[in-house]
Amino acid sequence: MSSAIRSEPSAASGPVPLGPATAPVGRVGPLALGLLGLQHVLVMYAGAVAVPLIVGRALKLAPEQVAMLVSADLFAGGLATLVQSWGLPGIGVRMPVMMGVTFAAVTPMIAMGSNPEIGLAGIYGAVIAAGLFALLVAPLVGRLLPLFPPVVTGTIILVIGISLMRVGVNWAAGGVGNPAYGAPVYLAIAAFVLCVILAITRYGTGFVNSASVLIGIIVGMVVAGFFGLVDFSHVASAPWFDVVRPFAFGWPSFDPVSVVTLSIVMIVVMIESTGMFLALSEICADPVDEARLTRGLRGDGLGTVIGGIFNTFPYTSFSQNIGLVGVTGVRTRYVAVVGGIIMLGLGLVPKLAALVEAVPQCVLGGAGLVMFGMVGATGTRILGAVDFANNRNNLFVVAVSVGFGMIPLVAPGFFRQMPQALHPLLESGILLCALSAVLLNLFFNGLGSTDEAREAAIRQAKTAEAH
């Protein structure tokens, strides 16, 4: 399948219409293109729907509202994917990029939503503002790369994984607030799902291996059904078709600290995206210059604005899909275009979102241990490329930054006496870690060159692709 499709020429001059005039696409039938797009969607599906489930359940939203978040996530993710892969004037990298909600924003958004003075309206206001901020600063991000060498980004990603692990562990025990929290049946099902994922990863090949988490969740849900742990009542009552309405939770509000918090998250997201685009350009033999990189980062920004409007969260390119491009050799951007259309369609099927919401937390716990653990493991792999032997100062950057990142996790009341307005910032271990890592790296190592930073970003992206 991969040998039948070659990379297309750069689309920097504008969108190229689908059809026989485009040679790479003309050699792929509609059925094959649809299957390839569906493969991209299935590979990212479990990760794509994880964030609305995490945030919705952490904020104790009703099942119907959590299902709405899932639908909105798929719908807005489809739009964001089309923005990146198909492109708009001045926006979109126009490469085979699939967009999904970033895990980096989960912890600060939960902190915002848990504050009654901010709530969901404040989250969506911060998301929209952070997206607009990304649109404005996109041309400058290349100059910020030296602030985020591997010792900084690896530390941040490690803390993201560790912070999220708490969610996966609580899921495995049945979910916080569950009267039967920690029941043996919950732990057994979570362990079973984990074993299924590990077995598929060890013995599966090709697409089956890539979709191991999704398959593990499906198998686990079947087993949980035999124990009476799956409630399909909301699935039965959900309609087959409905539109995703903007501002379904009310008009957004704009809390200054929340806006600054998510804007910092967007800088980290755009630094990661820069590495992804540069690595993908090597895979596709399709050069990315500064102007095209800026368009891609604007795509992240516009995708995030779309997310805030349609009741979801900040978007970024999914690394596993970039890895899939390298594995399959299918390098035409129209595979991602089809994948985006499929995501749009899935977002218009509330019954499917209700089915996702019906997955028991213990099943998600087994999968979450893998998903969130791999985030942390990716950070560790990035740090593996850092020179600790000849530069002991890097040890202090990692050690102190991880320590700051763990404060909200191990001592939730540490900043209780600080002004309430600062809590969304101080209660985010990810942001504390990021600020600490950037400042300590500047203190110990100074500011590196842009060329070195670009090369490091490519190596980092290739490390993430492996997962």
Side-chain angles (χ1 to χ4, degrees):
M1 180 167 60
S2 62
S3 62
I5 305 173
R6 303 298 177 203
S7 72
E8 61 189 70
S10 171
S13 59
V16 181
L18 278 167
T22 308
V25 179
R27 294 161 62 184
V28 183
L31 178 60
L33 198 61
L35 291 175
L36 291 168
L38 179 62
Q39 178 176 256
H40 270 281
V41 173
L42 292 177
V43 164
M44 69 177 291
Y45 191 84
V49 301
V51 174
L53 289 176
I54 295 170
V55 175
R57 288 176 172 172
L59 300 183
K60 297 180 172 54
L61 299 182
E64 297 83 358
Q65 293 176 312
V66 176
M68 183 191 300
L69 290 182
V70 173
S71 290
D73 177 33
L74 293 170
F75 180 82
L79 288 178
T81 297
L82 291 175
V83 166
Q84 278 290 23
S85 57
W86 178 260
L88 296 173
I91 300 177
V93 74
R94 295 168 190 170
M95 294 170 72
V97 174
M98 297 292 294
M99 301 287 285
V101 174
T102 176
F103 283 111
V106 169
T107 305
M109 288 192 303
I110 291 175
M112 295 172 197
S114 301
N115 183 342
E117 296 181 5
I118 299 176
L120 273 174
I123 291 177
Y124 292 133
V127 170
I128 292 171
L132 294 173
F133 169 79
L135 282 167
L136 291 174
V137 304
L140 305 177
V141 168
R143 301 176 188 176
L144 296 177
L145 278 177
L147 292 174
F148 293 85
V151 69
V152 173
T153 52
T155 303
I156 295 171
I157 294 171
L158 172 61
V159 170
I160 290 172
I162 295 173
S163 299
L164 290 171
M165 189 59 73
R166 175 174 55 179
V167 175
V169 170
N170 283 322
W171 275 353
V176 175
N178 188 334
Y181 182 91
V185 65
Y186 294 148
L187 303 182
I189 291 175
F192 172 75
V193 172
L194 176 61
C195 290
V196 169
I197 294 172
L198 295 178
I200 294 173
T201 302
R202 172 65 178 83
Y203 298 108
T205 58
F207 167 74
V208 172
N209 182 286
S210 299
S212 59
V213 173
L214 178 61
I215 296 172
I217 291 174
I218 294 172
V219 173
M221 191 171 182
V222 172
V223 172
F226 284 112
F227 288 91
L229 299 177
V230 182
D231 180 6
F232 288 111
S233 60
H234 297 293
V235 180
S237 60
W240 279 103
F241 174 83
D242 196 7
V243 296
V244 177
R245 296 172 178 81
F247 307 120
F249 292 94
W251 287 102
S253 60
F254 298 91
D255 174 69
V257 174
S258 299
V259 169
V260 171
T261 300
L262 286 195
S263 295
I264 295 174
V265 169
M266 282 305 298
I267 292 177
V268 177
V269 166
M270 288 192 290
I271 295 295
E272 292 179 359
S273 293
T274 296
M276 297 295 177
F277 297 150
L278 295 174
L280 187 58
S281 73
E282 291 190 356
I283 295 172
C284 296
D286 192 4
V288 172
D289 57 16
E290 292 296 332
R292 194 173 185 189
L293 177 60
T294 297
R295 289 203 305 273
L297 296 176
R298 285 176 181 154
D300 280 4
L302 181 56
T304 298
V305 172
I306 291 171
I309 292 173
F310 285 100
N311 324 298
T312 183
F313 311 114
Y315 281 87
T316 185
S317 57
F318 262 36
S319 61
Q320 57 263 51
N321 291 92
I322 292 175
L324 185 62
V325 173
V327 169
T328 64
V330 180
R331 299 176 291 182
T332 172
R333 65 191 173 113
Y334 294 113
V335 173
V337 171
V338 172
I341 294 172
I342 292 173
M343 291 179 68
L344 275 173
L346 294 176
L348 299 175
V349 184
K351 198 171 286 291
L352 176 63
L355 182 62
V356 171
E357 193 281 329
V359 178
Q361 296 198 49
C362 58
V363 173
L364 292 172
L369 292 176
V370 176
M371 289 190 295
F372 308 148
M374 289 306 293
V375 174
T378 299
T380 303
R381 281 176 59 91
I382 292 170
L383 289 174
V386 175
D387 183 6
F388 292 108
N390 298 314
N391 185 355
R392 292 183 66 251
N393 292 333
N394 286 328
L395 290 171
F396 290 95
V397 175
V398 176
V400 176
S401 300
V402 170
F404 271 100
M406 291 299 97
I407 290 174
L409 193 65
V410 301
F414 190 84
F415 294 110
R416 186 173 299 163
Q417 302 301 320
M418 299 297 288
Q420 185 68 30
L422 295 177
H423 280 200
L425 175 63
L426 298 176
E427 292 173 3
S428 170
I430 297 167
L431 295 182
L432 291 176
C433 171
L435 292 173
S436 171
V438 169
L439 294 176
L440 287 174
N441 178 67
L442 286 174
F443 176 72
F444 284 117
N445 300 321
L447 197 63
S449 70
T450 302
D451 290 340
E452 290 175 348
R454 284 173 66 94
E455 293 175 2
I458 294 173
R459 290 195 301 272
Q460 176 180 318
K462 289 181 176 178
T463 297
E465 285 168 31
H467 301 91

